[in-house]
């Protein structure tokens, strides 16, 4: 469907609901790309409102005014006003600022105590985001913007639906609906009960509903109190209703019975090999020459031997257990010893994995590179320069990296879980169909088998070209994605 048609259909539905103005949506979260990003959550919050606005929806964003934003965008930020909020016996400053980015209004909540350091302050995240949640509710009153729907993302703002339904029900925000999107159920924002009771003045009677293994879970509060709960792929929506993936919230989610999944889109104005200014050479599905130049440059800059014919496998990832690094640890040495293949990983996080990866680099000079850190430019180089992109995740709510890899003609090798299962079609050597190589068991042998199948595909150039074309023609554009969200918001009002 064309953008114009989607826009008209949404407008018709909105007017049937009695809306004689654009629907008002506030997206709120801890991160928003490109301002402050540690993972896929930021990509979603940074991209979705742009496309919602194109569909005639008035979508705005509210996030913390993190130090990284001040450092990089401070001169474009406009101060609006400030006030104090009470949090138990404390009085805390709230500065409200505005940044216009790609036509989207982003409100930035300022507080030196909470947001002048890392995006997540170790051991203080609960307090940081409890403060932010209260500040969001209070700032909205003072802005001339009462949303039809507040779209809360992840545990950081999971308490907001509860606050609205208990403490703001008589206010102008009383009829505002809330959608909670779970980007990762493993992170729940667990705090002590007496902290949430004191800091957010949660009534006694509400404490039980957020209980998870003896702690107060911000995410569970949202799962119980939000008008709708959704997640970022249909498979993950099913998985989190099970004991294996639900992290203790499976009962409450199953009981709701309305948890659905919408697969994320990727922003083609950022992630398109034909126009991407960050990669050494541009290319498209019909003119692939530039990809070889990207591979050569990547090998050179990461200290790998420049061997154009050697298959190159890449990863760009948080170094967290979720990402299947145990499988990489189990299988990668043997794969590098047994095969003519090279491996490059960009990531940071858990020190255990960082150390192991440095060791891998030492054991395989010129054929393995572990780039420990966070680097947007290098991530573009890896998506463009590799032949394969490895994601052996234990669980993956949606996964954006495999979508980007496919757009760059880099074949994903993924475990069949969550969004990876929904977005990567396994290659079928008999029909030539498929966009990637998949495996199912959480096991190093299975992953190694998938890598060996990828290497066999690499040796068969015509078959490889077909899979590359298939992958590059997959459309995870943002228009359809935003349209699905537009309809979901309308379902709620
Ligand atoms: P998650 O949100 O679980 O981290 P996703 O696949 O949904 O995983 O999104 C990860 C996003 O973060 C991708 O855009 C990826 O390129 C980016 N990313 C992750 N680690 C790094 C890193 N070390 N440097 C640059 N980009 C990174």
């Amino acid at each position: 469907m064309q953008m114009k048609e989607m826009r008209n259909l949404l407008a018709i539905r909105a007017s049937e609901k009695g809306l004689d103005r654009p629907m008002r949506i506030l997206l709120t979260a801890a991160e928003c790309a490109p301002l402050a990003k540690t993972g896929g959550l930021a990509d979603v919050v940074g991209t979705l409102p742009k496309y919602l606005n194109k569909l005639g929806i008035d979508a705005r964003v509210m996030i913390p005014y993190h130090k990284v934003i001040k450092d990089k965008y401070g001169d474009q930020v406009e101060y609006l006003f400030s006030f104090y909020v009470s949090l138990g016996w404390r009085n805390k400053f709230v500065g409200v600022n505005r940044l216009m980015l790609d036509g989207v209004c982003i409100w930035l909540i300022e507080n030196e105590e909470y947001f002048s350091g890392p995006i997540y302050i170790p051991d203080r995240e609960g307090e940081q985001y409890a403060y932010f949640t209260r500040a969001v509710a209070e700032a909205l009153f003072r802005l001339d913007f009462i949303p039809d729907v507040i779209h809360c993302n992840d545990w950081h703002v999971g308490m907001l639906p509860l606050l609205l339904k208990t403490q703001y029900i008589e206010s102008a925000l009383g009829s505002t609906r809330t959608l909670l999107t779970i980007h990762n159920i493993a992170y729940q924002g667990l705090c002590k009960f007496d902290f949430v009771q004191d800091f957010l003045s949660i009534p006694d009677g509400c404490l039980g509903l957020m209980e998870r293994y003896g702690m107060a879970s911000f995410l569970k509060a949202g799962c119980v109190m939000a008008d709708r709960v959704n997640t970022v792929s249909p498979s993950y929506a099913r998985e989190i209703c099970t004991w294996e993936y639900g992290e203790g919230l499976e009962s409450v989610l199953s009981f709701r019975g309305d948890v659905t999944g919408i697969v994320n889109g990727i922003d083609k104005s950022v992630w398109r090999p034909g126009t991407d200014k960050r990669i050494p050479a541009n290319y498209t599905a019909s003119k692939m020459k530039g990809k070889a130049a990207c591979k050569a440059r990547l090998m050179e800059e990461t200290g790998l031997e420049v061997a154009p014919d050697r298959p190159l496998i890449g990863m760009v990832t948080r170094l967290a257990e979720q990402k299947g690094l145990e499988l990489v640890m189990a299988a990668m040495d043997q794969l590098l010893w047994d095969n003519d293949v090279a491996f490059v990983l960009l990531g940071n996080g858990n020190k255990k994995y960082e150390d192991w990866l440095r060791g891998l680099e030492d054991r395989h000079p010129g054929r393995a590179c572990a780039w420990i850190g966070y680097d947007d430019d290098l991530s573009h180089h890896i998506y463009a320069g590799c032949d394969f992109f490895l994601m052996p995740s234990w669980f993956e709510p949606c996964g954006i990296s495999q979508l980007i890899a496919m757009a760059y003609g880099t074949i994903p090798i993924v475990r069949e879980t969550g969004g990876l299962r929904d977005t990567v079609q396994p290659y079928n050597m008999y029909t030539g169909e498929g966009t990637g190589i998949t495996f199912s068991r959480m096991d190093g042998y299975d992953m190694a088998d998938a890598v060996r199948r990828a290497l066999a595909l690499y040796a068969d150039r015509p078959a490889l070209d077909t899979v590359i074309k298939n992958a590059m023609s997959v459309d995870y554009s943002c228009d359809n994605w935003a349209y699905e969200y537009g309809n979901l918001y309308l379902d709620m009002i």
Side-chain angles (χ1 to χ4, degrees), residues 31 37-44 154 183-184 187 232 264 266 271 315-320 322-323 345-349 371-380 382-383 389 391 393 395-404 420:
E31 317 179 9
K37 167 169 164 177
T38 67
L41 165 67
D43 289 314
V44 172
D154 271 351
H183 297 260
N184 193 333
Y187 301 102
V232 286
N264 294 334
I266 48 168
W271 302 109
M315 287 181 80
V316 178
T317 185
R318 288 184 291 115
L319 296 179
Q322 169 204 343
K323 298 295 178 181
L345 178 144
L346 164 64
N348 59 356
W371 197 292
I372 306 301
Y374 189 95
D375 187 328
D376 273 327
D377 284 339
L378 183 60
S379 77
H380 282 247
I382 292 179
Y383 289 118
F389 192 88
M391 285 180 86
S393 305
F395 65 92
E396 196 59 75
C398 176
I400 286 189
S401 301
Q402 83 282 9
L403 304 181
I404 302 174
L420 298 175

Side-chain angles (χ1 to χ4, degrees), residues 80-95:
L80 297 182
F81 57 84
S82 61
F83 59 92
Y84 279 80
V85 277
S86 46
L87 293 147
W89 50 266
R90 313 153 191 86
N91 253 340
K92 302 272 181 185
F93 173 85
V94 181

Side-chain angles (χ1 to χ4, degrees), residues 27-330:
L27 284 106
T28 182
E31 317 179 9
C32 171
L35 306 177
K37 167 169 164 177
T38 67
L41 165 67
D43 289 314
V44 172
V45 180
T47 313
L48 184 58
K50 261 199 293 193
Y51 288 84
L52 290 171
N53 289 352
K54 286 189 191 171
L55 290 171
I57 295 170
D58 183 359
R60 308 187 192 189
V61 177
M62 196 174 276
I63 56 164
Y65 192 5
H66 292 294
K67 181 175 184 299
V68 278
I69 307 179
K70 212 172 257 184
D71 291 349
K72 222 167 152 190
Y73 295 85
D75 54 343
Q76 299 166 46
V77 171
E78 179 192 354
Y79 167 80
L80 297 182
F81 57 84
S82 61
F83 59 92
Y84 279 80
V85 277
S86 46
L87 293 147
W89 50 266
R90 313 153 191 86
N91 253 340
K92 302 272 181 185
F93 173 85
V94 181
V96 181
N97 301 269
R98 180 174 52 201
L99 172 65
M100 295 300 297
L101 204 70
D102 295 330
V104 178
C105 167
I106 301 174
W107 285 307
L108 300 163
I109 299 295
E110 183 172 12
N111 179 292
E112 282 293 306
E113 180 184 351
Y114 294 119
F115 304 128
S116 62
I119 296 175
Y120 305 108
I121 306 174
D123 302 326
R124 259 192 107 190
E125 292 173 14
E127 186 181 332
Q128 219 184 342
Y129 287 97
Y131 158 83
F132 177 65
T133 304
R134 172 68 73 200
V136 170
E138 292 292 326
L140 276 177
F141 281 123
R142 293 161 171 89
L143 289 158
D144 189 20
F145 188 79
I146 296 298
D148 297 307
V149 177
I150 300 184
H151 183 167
C152 305
N153 292 275
D154 271 351
W155 74 264
H156 316 100
V157 280
M159 284 285 188
L160 196 52
L162 172 66
L163 294 190
L164 293 194
K165 289 236 170 85
T166 54
Q167 300 170 4
Y168 294 88
I169 194 77
E170 307 285 347
S171 75
L173 288 171
S175 56
T176 291
R177 303 280 163 176
T178 50
L179 166 67
L180 173 70
T181 297
I182 301 173
H183 297 260
N184 193 333
I185 206 165
Y187 301 102
Q188 296 200 7
L190 298 177
C191 286
K192 292 197 173 129
F193 279 109
D194 49 3
F195 165 74
V196 283
Q197 197 169 18
D198 168 41
F199 204 78
L200 291 174
S201 314
I202 305 289
D204 277 1
C206 289
L207 292 175
L209 63 82
M210 64 182 81
E211 193 273 338
R212 190 234 180 215
Y213 305 151
M215 301 283 279
S217 159
F218 281 41
L219 191 68
K220 187 171 178 191
C223 288
V224 174
M225 297 304 273
D227 293 295
R228 276 298 292 267
V229 175
N230 87 329
T231 183
V232 286
S233 68
S235 285
Y236 194 61
R238 284 190 298 276
E239 287 170 358
I240 57 178
C241 291
T242 66
W243 172 84
E244 193 183 352
Y245 291 96
E247 297 282 343
L249 304 192
E250 58 277 8
S251 309
V252 74
L253 293 173
S254 304
F255 182 73
R256 286 190 66 106
D258 64 351
V259 183
T260 49
I262 299 179
V263 170
N264 294 334
I266 48 168
D267 191 348
K268 290 292 174 78
S269 68
V270 180
W271 302 109
R272 192 199 296 269
T275 50
D276 186 344
K277 291 202 171 57
R278 291 167 143 174
I279 58 177
N282 292 116
Y283 59 92
T284 60
S286 53
K287 277 198 186 131
M288 290 293 287
K289 224 174 127 202
K291 191 163 171 67
C294 292
K295 180 173 176 180
R297 175 74 70 82
L298 175 65
M299 288 179 141
E300 197 184 308
E301 76 178 313
T302 52
L304 298 172
E305 280 166 27
V306 182
D309 294 330
R310 178 176 293 156
L312 176 58
I313 301 175
M315 287 181 80
V316 178
T317 185
R318 288 184 291 115
L319 296 179
E321 196 184 355
Q322 169 204 343
K323 298 295 178 181
L325 290 146
E326 301 294 331
L327 304 199
V328 177
M329 283 167 69

Side-chain angles (χ1 to χ4, degrees), residues 422-443:
D422 293 340
T423 58
V424 179
Q425 187 194 358
Y427 168 59
N428 179 329
M429 64 192 291
Y430 302 105
T431 63
E433 289 168 331
T435 57
I437 308 287
T438 71
F439 65 100
S440 64
R441 284 193 310 136
M442 193 61 201
D443 162 325

